Structure formats: C-alpha cells, structure tokens
Amino acid sequence: MDFNADLGESWYQHRVGSDTGLMPFLDSCNIACGFHGGDALTMRRTIELALFHGVNVGAHPSYPDREHFGRRKMDIPPEQLEALLLYQVAALQGMTAAAGGELRHIKLHGALYHHAAFGADAMAAQSVVRVARALGKLTIYGPQGSHLEREALHAKVPFLAEGFVDRRYEAYNRLMPRKEKTALLQSAGECADQARDLINGTVQLASGQSATVAVQTICVHGDHRGCEERARAVREVLDRTAA
C-alpha cells in the first residue's frame, strides 16, 4: 500500500503544513505546482526533500485559485484547462529532473480533483489523461469508480485508486463535504483505524454502514493541523501490516 500526502503548499511568507515533519513517513508526495499553493523555491525545496528521503515525487496541479486554496469549482474551457494542467505538471517534471529525480504521478487538488472524478462529463478527466500520456505515461491518482479511473484504463495509463485516512466518507468513493462539521477525522487514532480499514478493503460511512473498497494508495492531508501525528500513526499501521 502506497502512503501519500499533499505537500509544498506554502508560498512566499505564507506557511502551510509541515513538509519536513511529514516526509519521513511517506512513500509518495504530491507537490503543489504554484496555482493553489507553492512557489518556485518551495517546489524546488520540496522536491529535494522528497529525493533525500527516497519518496516518490508527484505533481499536485489545481485550478488557478490561490485565494480559495483551489477548493472552489471554476468553469474553465477544456482546451484551456488542459493547457493549465500541462503547464503545471511539466514545470514540476522539469524541476524534478534538474534535481536528479523522476516525476512519477499526477494527483489533482481540491475542487479540480472532484470535478475530474465525478463531474457531469468526463472531459476534465480526459484532459488529465492526455497530459499524463504526453509526459511519459505518468500514473494518475484518483477515486475508485471515477471518470479518472475509467479514462486512464481506457487509455492504458497507470492508475492508483486512492483512499483518505483523515476524511469521512458518504459513499465508498465519495468524501463528506468539508462544510460538514464531522467531515474531518481529528485524532491520530481515528486515522489509524481508517487506514487499517482501507488496507483491509472496507471503509466506514457517515451513516454507520460500511462499504467495500479497493485502493492502492492512501492519503493524509499535509495542510491539516496535527498531520504529523496522524502520519506517524498511519505509518505504524502500514509497517505492522507489512511485517
């Protein structure tokens, strides 16, 4: 099971999360590309930190929406969206190569993640897949049963179904909206329990029922307070499972 986090989301004097604290617990990281968070120096430093710890580097592109941290849906024509994605991912790929590494995957951020996964049509997902193919068949991370999964499989682009250890689920592939008071799992223990469930192929829903899932990567958010403690607890679960 791959363990990932969204990192490099600070920009200039605005600090977000704890990349140095989280990185040692991870297998993969998704680095912001300067649109919702990140800047050129932060991108470079986060890439170097990942390579130092032997963590796989992925791109974390978003809508051009720093004001709302990429969590607001934006109506962008497909051709323009594809160009914005290519711009972000190619920039991070070039910076990773310059540091002596290799970009491995793409994981969308925030509102763009959910739109490409479950929007009214698959055009955004198709744009993501075309960018992944153009840049060397990068692996795409996304929800199980989504447009992203179907389009990636159709195009023979690698795909990893993703689960979240620090977000509550409404359905097996749908997160509870952040506006709900119980949308975030607050304690390290809760996150460890959810990680254990996801590894075992289930997830507990907000309704109290459970659903069957099949994920290959699990995520902890790097911008949530207490993320280091959650990541440490999840790493312990993963290490015990692998032993």
Side-chain angles (χ1 to χ4, degrees):
M1 179 70 73
D2 176 75
F3 184 29
N4 79 80
D6 308 332
L7 301 182
E9 294 180 314
S10 300
W11 67 91
Y12 307 122
Q13 303 306 312
H14 185 82
R15 311 313 301 168
V16 176
S18 176
D19 296 352
T20 55
L22 276 177
M23 196 73 79
F25 300 115
L26 305 177
D27 301 304
S28 302
C29 66
N30 323 303
I31 300 177
C33 301
F35 276 33
H36 74 282
D39 58 64
L41 183 56
T42 299
M43 291 163 68
R44 184 178 187 179
R45 287 174 172 170
T46 311
I47 290 165
E48 291 172 346
L49 183 65
L51 297 179
F52 176 80
H53 286 282
V55 173
N56 293 326
V57 176
H60 195 41
S62 71
Y63 287 125
D65 179 29
R66 188 161 291 186
E67 180 183 359
H68 299 92
F69 201 63
R71 289 178 175 152
R72 177 188 62 170
K73 169 74 166 59
M74 300 181 72
D75 293 323
I76 298 177
E79 184 179 18
Q80 183 179 353
L81 178 62
E82 187 169 331
L84 290 171
L85 288 169
L86 182 62
Y87 178 88
Q88 294 177 76
V89 179
L92 194 75
Q93 185 179 55
M95 294 181 76
T96 304
E102 179 183 0
L103 191 70
R104 299 295 186 89
H105 64 274
I106 300 172
K107 178 191 166 180
L108 303 176
H109 170 79
L112 181 55
Y113 182 97
H114 296 289
H115 172 61
F118 300 116
D121 58 58
M123 287 191 290
Q126 290 164 3
S127 293
V128 178
V129 169
R130 283 192 291 269
V131 169
R133 289 188 67 180
L135 297 177
K137 280 198 172 182
L138 301 173
T139 299
I140 295 171
Y141 287 15
Q144 181 184 5
S146 64
H147 294 315
L148 285 167
E149 181 179 39
R150 287 188 290 272
E151 295 299 326
L153 295 177
H154 178 73
K156 296 183 172 56
V157 168
F159 178 86
L160 289 185
E162 182 178 40
F164 292 86
V165 301
D166 54 4
R167 293 289 305 276
R168 201 173 303 280
Y169 280 79
E170 288 189 328
Y172 86 100
N173 62 359
R174 302 281 185 135
L175 300 176
M176 178 179 286
R178 285 177 176 271
K179 65 183 179 180
E180 301 294 336
K181 292 182 179 180
T182 59
L184 304 182
L185 300 182
Q186 299 291 346
S187 74
E190 286 179 304
C191 293
D193 289 342
Q194 183 138 304
R196 194 175 296 108
D197 287 342
L198 289 166
I199 293 166
N200 292 326
T202 64
V203 67
Q204 300 300 309
L205 306 181
S207 65
Q209 298 177 314
S210 63
T212 300
V213 297
V215 301
Q216 296 84 45
T217 183
I218 55 176
C219 176
V220 64
H221 285 89
D223 63 311
H224 292 181
R225 187 182 300 274
C227 58
E228 291 181 48
E229 292 77 14
R230 297 183 186 103
R232 181 182 293 108
V234 171
R235 184 78 261 170
E236 291 174 357
V237 170
L238 288 165
D239 290 346
R240 285 197 299 270
T241 301

